[in-house]
Amino acid sequence: MSRQAGIVFACLGIVGVIAVAAVIVFVFRGPDTPPPPGTDAGIAIDPSATDPVGVATSVMSAVYTWQPAVQDSPWDALHAQRDNLTGPMATAAATPPDPAPQPIPEWSAWARSGDIVTAVAQPDTSVYTDGTAAEMDGDTQATVAVTIDRVVQHRSGETTPFTGYTGAVDLERTDDGWKVANYRLASAGL
């Protein structure tokens, strides 16, 4: 066998190993479908997040994360967080609005494509002069400054920037811990 033929066979062997690895990754990576109805796209309150900042960022991430393929509207994301809400937010999450709000123009396209709008809320420490993200009113009320950044995650794995917000989240301490009572968006942008 010539040296050139040996190199060709070695290259074919490497290509074969890569092909087998690709098949294994494809088979075991899981389905490319959105989470089933009733899920929260992986956004959950961390049981150790007992401080107002942790609760505010977790809840707002979940409220602004949408799964159009399995949710009828953004209200479904709010409704899924009802156990973490109190006051006006709990009231809004309890019953769908009637009449229903105008749909977001992109909603049906996202649903057809299986896209998910993912939000990440983070504390905004630039708002308060003490460098924290929370302003406490005694030990039963707090206001947390947040930034919320959202992207559209496509089934292909690519992402498209969607919107970003800054805002303030009002929380109240209940017997079950801190809960979001209300929020205000201060600015929006990309």
Side-chain angles (χ1 to χ4, degrees):
M1 175 156 62
S2 73
R3 180 181 169 136
Q4 190 175 21
I7 292 173
V8 169
F9 283 122
C11 289
L12 289 175
I14 291 171
V15 169
V17 169
I18 291 172
V20 169
V23 169
I24 289 171
V25 168
F26 179 76
V27 169
F28 291 106
R29 72 175 183 172
D32 282 340
T33 57
T39 68
D40 59 5
I43 306 296
I45 295 294
D46 177 354
S48 66
T50 57
D51 64 277
V53 173
V55 173
T57 55
S58 294
V59 170
M60 296 312 292
S61 291
V63 166
Y64 276 95
T65 294
W66 303 332
Q67 301 173 69
V70 296
Q71 295 174 325
D72 292 329
S73 73
W75 177 82
D76 291 321
L78 176 66
H79 182 68
Q81 289 299 306
R82 65 191 173 277
D83 293 340
N84 303 309
L85 307 175
T86 191
M89 288 283 286
T91 301
T95 307
D98 185 25
Q102 289 290 352
I104 295 168
E106 300 90 350
W107 196 271
S108 60
W110 291 333
R112 284 190 308 274
S113 300
D115 295 338
I116 296 174
V117 178
T118 302
V120 175
Q122 298 180 9
D124 185 353
T125 58
S126 70
V127 174
Y128 302 114
T129 56
D130 64 359
T132 64
E135 182 177 67
M136 303 297 292
D137 184 5
D139 60 354
T140 59
Q141 295 184 334
T143 300
V144 176
V146 296
T147 60
I148 304 168
D149 293 309
R150 297 193 304 166
V151 298
V152 179
Q153 292 183 313
H154 305 287
R155 291 183 72 157
S156 66
E158 294 179 21
T159 60
T160 302
F162 182 47
T163 55
Y165 303 103
T166 59
V169 181
D170 298 325
L171 295 100
E172 294 178 10
R173 184 187 296 267
T174 70
D175 291 341
D176 297 324
W178 288 100
K179 295 192 178 206
V180 173
N182 209 348
Y183 72 96
R184 296 166 304 287
L185 298 179
S187 67
L190 273 178

